[in-house]
């Protein structure tokens, strides 16, 4: 009797020890992961950190070229105040905002309408069109920018910021449509049948049922269109020449770099200001965007 | 597709039509498909006018002479293939794309595993920090990299000097410049791989790992016999997709080196820009861009196949 109790006791103790060692192992794995991730985070954040550091330096400190470049000796906001009163920079910012807003609006209208049509109504050849939309998404901007240069020239929009409003939807719409098709297909058929029976038209059905239900998808697609329009570099660089037509990405590079003169403090401050809108948007809506990107991936 | 880094691993089941009612509903159906067609019309026009037409126009352009007055057939292509510079461009585009994608895939895989270990409320914060490179517009962050690579008084050279090494002319010599462009691309693209792989890891059922441990599998065996086979499809879709985007990359090389030194970092997009827009030889520029097409088409074919397969897996 006593032997058996001792036995069970030791077995219990052994079990406990093993559980403890397993727990320890888990703990170590956790700390190891944290350590490795910290290294990655530090490496990933070096350039943004350096951008901010440089943007806070005065021109005098920049041109002295002495001391540790990784710290600011006399932090100043003069670069920011310069930019915020510099008409060209404000012009670039305004152009970027305008192009982005218009691109997002146009792309979303086109892609929501066509995604509804392709996922719910269908017509002859709509399957082929859906595949075609996906293929279009895989066409990179740098493949067609030279023929588009000619075409934009014919229309008379060379060196006109509105040519971007015409061209950016070609980059944004295919993927937005693709996301929306996925979200619309996941809405149960019973909903639209009920709506049809209640006498709703297709547009009403889209507006009152599909758009509200598929809101996460719409947010994801909107962020995508925003990202495309805000960060694009090739089209504005190729099609815009004069300062008053440029958007931020190109404007910063061609206006703040004059010949061999690099006003790095101002350039970096401009980069910070231009990165604020995407960072704010991603900070709040990242989850929607990631869900949109990986929607199919997690379903497996 | 800023950095275009986004992938639609989504359903390829758009127009699942309801079983068609046979007789009296026919008029209704015809009306319905007309409305459907009208709703998709803007999309069709957009694709036809600004993607399909330019694509054919590019082929036509690539067969003209420099002044665009005479038809020269395939002369532009043979001319390019015989030029040393262009052979370098082909080599560098492949080097740039393949090296970057392999590194991004490996690092992204590691990061996804690390992130998977710490699942919990802090995961979002870590993920947010790791996604920063991917969120900042690429053209702007490349400017910072350029400044850090600056030869005279740059961040990296200062550190090297402090440690007792000589300054490195980062963007001044061929191979270091190539290394720098790849480094920036990896820095920018790794977070995208991380996101995709995190989603894929989440979808591997926990029971499979339990079963594997009962059978006595170690960590490495679990990786090779459970994780990788389960993630195979997502990995291939992500890699192929990134290959397309990286292959066609323009921003990084254009800003960091403009193709220099001695054309040793040019890729297709930047070379096409230099020849077609800056030097004004539009037909030759168009032919340079078109050289990307076969490679992109092969990659696109496999992506599409992967997505279709994935859809079927989800459906069953």
């Amino acid at each position: 009797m006593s032997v058996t109790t001792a036995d069970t006791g030791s077995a219990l103790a052994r079990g406990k020890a093993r559980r403890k060692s397993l727990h320890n192992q888990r703990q170590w794995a956790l700390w190891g992961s944290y350590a490795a991730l910290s290294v990655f985070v530090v490496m990933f954040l070096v350039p943004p950190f350096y951008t901010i550091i440089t943007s806070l330096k005065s021109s005098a400190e920049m041109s002295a070229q002495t001391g540790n470049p990784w710290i600011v000796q006399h932090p100043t906001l003069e670069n920011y105040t310069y930019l915020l009163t510099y008409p060209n920079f404000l012009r670039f910012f305004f152009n970027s905002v305008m192009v982005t807003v218009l691109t997002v609006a146009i792309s979303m209208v086109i892609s929501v309408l066509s995604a509804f049509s392709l996922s719910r109504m269908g017509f002859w050849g709509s399957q082929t069109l859906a595949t075609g939309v996906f293929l279009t998404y895989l066409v990179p901007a740098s493949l067609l920018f030279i023929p588009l240069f000619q075409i934009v020239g014919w229309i008379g929009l060379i060196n006109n910021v509105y040519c971007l409003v015409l061209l950016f939807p070609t980059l944004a719409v295919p993927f937005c449509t693709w996301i929306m098709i996925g979200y619309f297909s996941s809405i149960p058929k019973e909903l639209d049948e009920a709506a049809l029976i209640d006498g709703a038209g297709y547009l009403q059905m889209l507006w009152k049922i599909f758009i509200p239900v598929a809101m996460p998808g719409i947010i994801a697609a909107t962020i995508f269109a925003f990202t495309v329009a805000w960060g694009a570099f090739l089209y504005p660089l190729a099609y815009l020449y004069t300062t008053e037509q440029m958007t931020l990405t190109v404007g910063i590079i061609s206006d703040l770099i004059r010949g061999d003169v690099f006003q790095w403090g101002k350039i970096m401050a401009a980069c910070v200001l231009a990165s604020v809108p995407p960072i704010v948007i991603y900070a709040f809506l990242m989850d929607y965007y990631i869900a949109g990107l990986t929607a199919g991936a997690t379903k497996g | 597709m800023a950095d275009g880094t986004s992938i639609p691993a989504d359903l390829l089941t758009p127009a699942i039509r309801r079983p068609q009612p046979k007789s009296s509903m026919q008029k209704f159906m015809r009306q319905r498909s007309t409305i459907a067609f009208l709703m998709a019309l803007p999309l069709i026009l957009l694709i036809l006018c600004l993607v399909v037409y330019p694509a054919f126009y590019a082929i036509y352009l690539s067969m003209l002479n420099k002044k665009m007055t005479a038809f020269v057939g395939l002369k532009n292509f043979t001319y390019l293939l015989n030029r040393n510079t262009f052979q370098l461009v082909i080599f560098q585009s492949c080097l740039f794309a393949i090296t970057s994608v392999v590194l991004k895939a490996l690092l992204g895989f590691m990061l996804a595993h690390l992130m998977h270990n710490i699942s919990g409320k802090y995961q979002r914060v870590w993920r947010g920090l790791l996604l920063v490179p991917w969120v900042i517009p690429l053209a702007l962050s490349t400017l910072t990299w350029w400044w850090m690579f600056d030869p005279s008084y740059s961040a990296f050279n200062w550190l090297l000097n402090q440690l007792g090494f000589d300054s490195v002319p980062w963007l001044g010599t061929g191979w270091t410049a190539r290394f720098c462009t790849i480094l920036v691309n990896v820095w920018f693209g790794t977070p995208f791989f991380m996101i995709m792989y995190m989603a894929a890891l989440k979808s591997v059922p926990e029971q499979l790992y339990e079963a594997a441990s009962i059978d006595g599998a170690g960590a490495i065996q679990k990786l090779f016999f459970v994780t990788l086979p389960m993630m195979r499809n997502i990995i291939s879709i992500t890699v192929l997709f990134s290959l397309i985007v990286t292959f066609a990359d323009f921003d990084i090389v254009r800003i960091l080196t403009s193709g220099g030194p001695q054309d040793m970092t040019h890729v297709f997009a930047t070379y096409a820009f230099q020849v077609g827009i800056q030097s004004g030889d539009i037909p030759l520029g168009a032919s340079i861009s078109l050289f990307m097409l076969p490679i992109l088409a092969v990659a696109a074919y496999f992506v599409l196949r992967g997505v279709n397969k994935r859809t079927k897996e989800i459906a069953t």
Side-chain angles (χ1 to χ4, degrees):
Chain A
M1 180 71 188
S2 63
V3 176
T4 45
T5 42
D7 254 9
T8 45
S10 71
L12 265 178
R14 244 185 293 136
K16 224 180 237 169
R18 204 166 62 201
R19 223 170 300 138
K20 208 173 172 190
S21 83
L22 202 66
H23 179 75
N24 272 344
Q25 248 176 25
R26 288 250 167 88
Q27 209 61 28
W28 274 110
L30 193 65
W31 288 117
S33 303
Y34 276 123
L37 281 174
S38 314
V39 173
F40 273 108
V41 166
V42 169
M43 287 197 304
F44 277 20
L45 292 186
V46 160
F49 169 77
Y50 200 66
T51 314
I52 294 172
I53 286 292
T54 310
S55 74
L56 295 173
K57 290 181 182 175
S58 65
S59 316
E61 196 179 331
M62 294 295 296
S63 49
Q65 303 217 338
T66 48
N68 187 344
W70 292 90
I71 53 168
V72 205
Q73 266 118 26
H74 311 285
T76 163
L77 289 176
E78 72 177 38
N79 293 318
Y80 291 94
T81 48
Y82 171 83
L83 284 173
L84 291 175
T85 52
Y86 181 49
N88 284 357
F89 182 77
L90 296 178
R91 184 81 220 169
F92 302 149
F93 212 99
F94 173 76
N95 281 345
S96 271
V97 170
M98 186 195 69
V99 167
T100 307
V101 169
L102 286 176
T103 306
V104 167
I106 293 172
S107 308
M108 288 316 292
V109 169
I110 295 179
S111 55
V112 166
L113 279 179
S114 47
F116 181 68
S117 150
L118 290 177
S119 65
R120 267 311 200 267
M121 302 167 74
F123 48 91
W124 184 83
S126 53
Q127 291 265 21
T128 323
L129 183 60
T131 313
V133 167
F134 183 65
L135 282 179
T136 317
Y137 168 57
L138 295 178
V139 173
S142 55
L143 186 65
L144 297 176
F145 73 101
I146 288 177
L148 283 173
F149 181 78
Q150 293 290 98
I151 292 168
V152 170
W154 295 339
I155 312 173
L157 284 178
I158 275 291
N159 194 24
N160 184 333
V161 69
Y162 286 99
C163 75
L164 300 180
V165 178
L166 182 72
L167 295 179
F168 283 161
T170 61
L171 304 176
V173 164
F175 186 61
C176 294
T177 309
W178 190 251
I179 294 184
M180 293 318 299
I181 288 177
Y183 274 88
F184 283 167
S185 313
S186 67
I187 295 173
K189 289 264 149 56
E190 288 75 22
L191 264 182
D192 41 322
E193 270 155 23
L196 279 180
I197 288 166
D198 287 348
Y202 287 110
L203 279 178
Q204 248 178 330
M205 196 162 101
L206 174 64
W207 186 249
K208 295 232 168 97
I209 297 175
F210 277 70
I211 289 182
V213 174
M215 210 54 197
I218 290 185
I219 294 174
T222 308
I223 299 175
F224 179 78
F226 165 84
T227 312
V228 165
W230 191 264
F233 180 62
L234 173 56
Y235 285 174
L237 184 69
Y239 307 146
L240 306 175
Y241 306 119
T242 50
T243 311
E244 78 272 12
Q245 300 291 343
M246 285 179 178
T247 56
L248 271 173
T249 43
V250 181
I252 291 172
I253 286 166
S254 49
D255 192 71
L256 294 174
I257 301 175
R258 293 238 173 80
D260 284 344
V261 185
F262 293 84
Q263 303 165 297
W264 280 115
K266 297 189 177 77
I267 297 171
M268 293 293 114
C271 288
V272 172
L273 290 175
S275 309
V276 166
I279 286 178
V280 169
I281 288 181
Y282 277 93
F284 287 104
L285 300 172
M286 181 59 96
D287 289 327
Y288 290 103
Y289 191 41
I290 291 179
L293 291 185
T294 55
T298 41
K299 276 180 202 157
Chain B
M1 59 145 245
D3 138 41
T5 24
S6 42
I7 202 163
D10 216 313
L11 301 171
L12 191 71
T13 51
I16 312 165
R17 278 183 244 174
R18 271 179 264 174
Q20 295 198 353
K22 273 170 195 165
S23 52
S24 62
M25 293 286 278
Q26 249 173 9
K27 196 181 157 197
F28 172 74
M29 288 305 296
R30 207 174 305 137
Q31 189 196 353
R32 172 194 168 102
S33 66
T34 314
I35 297 174
F37 180 75
L38 285 178
M39 284 169 100
L41 195 60
L43 175 80
I44 297 170
L45 285 179
L46 186 83
I47 291 181
L48 281 183
C49 296
L50 292 172
V51 181
V52 176
Y53 172 68
F56 283 102
Y57 185 55
I59 297 172
Y60 169 72
L61 270 180
S62 70
M63 296 184 189
L64 298 179
N65 67 349
K66 182 172 177 179
K67 290 193 178 126
M68 297 170 54
T69 47
F71 188 80
V72 296
L74 296 175
K75 244 187 201 151
N76 281 329
F77 295 99
T78 51
Y79 168 76
L80 279 172
L81 282 174
N82 287 322
R83 279 193 68 172
N84 267 335
T85 315
F86 190 70
Q87 289 162 4
L88 263 183
V89 169
I90 297 178
F91 166 70
Q92 277 143 203
S93 297
C94 296
L95 178 82
F96 177 74
I98 294 171
T99 320
S100 313
V101 170
V102 168
L103 287 175
K104 282 189 277 191
L106 287 177
L107 288 174
F109 194 74
M110 274 170 63
L111 275 173
H113 268 276
L114 293 172
M115 290 292 288
H116 198 64
N117 282 347
I118 64 159
S119 47
K121 63 177 173 177
Y122 294 116
Q123 202 191 28
R124 280 195 75 227
V125 179
W126 285 93
R127 193 186 63 184
L129 288 174
L130 288 169
L131 283 175
V132 167
W134 188 61
V135 168
I136 303 174
L138 180 57
L140 303 177
S141 47
T142 310
L143 268 177
T144 307
W145 279 101
W146 188 21
W147 169 223
M148 292 200 297
F149 287 136
D150 189 79
S152 55
Y153 173 64
S154 70
F156 291 147
N157 278 344
W158 185 85
L159 281 181
L160 284 182
N161 292 342
Q162 289 309 103
L163 296 171
F165 295 100
D166 286 336
S167 295
V168 175
W170 291 104
L171 303 172
T173 57
W175 279 100
T176 47
R178 284 174 185 164
F179 165 80
C180 292
T181 52
I182 292 171
L183 174 72
V184 176
N185 190 283
V186 171
W187 172 81
F188 172 69
T190 304
F192 169 67
F193 277 84
M194 182 188 78
I195 297 182
M196 296 307 293
Y197 290 168
M198 273 171 71
L201 273 179
K202 243 182 240 163
S203 71
V204 180
E206 199 59 37
Q207 294 96 301
L208 287 183
Y209 291 113
E210 280 162 21
S213 343
I214 290 167
D215 290 346
I220 293 179
Q221 279 170 316
K222 275 185 208 164
L223 176 70
F224 278 99
F225 296 111
V226 180
T227 316
L228 284 178
M230 289 300 288
M231 287 172 65
R232 197 178 56 200
N233 213 335
I234 294 290
I235 291 179
S236 65
I237 294 174
T238 316
V239 164
L240 285 165
F241 178 75
S242 175
L243 198 63
I244 294 178
V245 173
T246 315
F247 205 74
D249 182 79
F250 175 80
D251 302 14
I252 295 174
V253 174
R254 176 71 204 168
I255 294 173
L256 275 188
T257 64
S258 301
Q262 286 109 39
D263 297 322
M264 283 185 73
T265 52
H266 260 314
V267 291
F268 284 117
T270 54
Y271 194 54
F273 184 84
Q274 190 185 323
V275 171
I277 307 280
Q278 286 184 309
S279 316
D281 193 340
I282 288 192
L284 202 61
S287 10
I288 294 169
S289 284
L290 281 180
F291 268 98
M292 286 193 272
L293 197 61
I295 303 160
L296 297 183
V298 171
Y301 169 75
F302 283 107
V303 174
L304 201 62
R305 213 179 61 163
V307 170
N308 275 332
K309 222 197 293 179
R310 178 104 202 129
T311 313
K312 274 184 206 125
E313 274 169 25
I314 294 166
T316 48

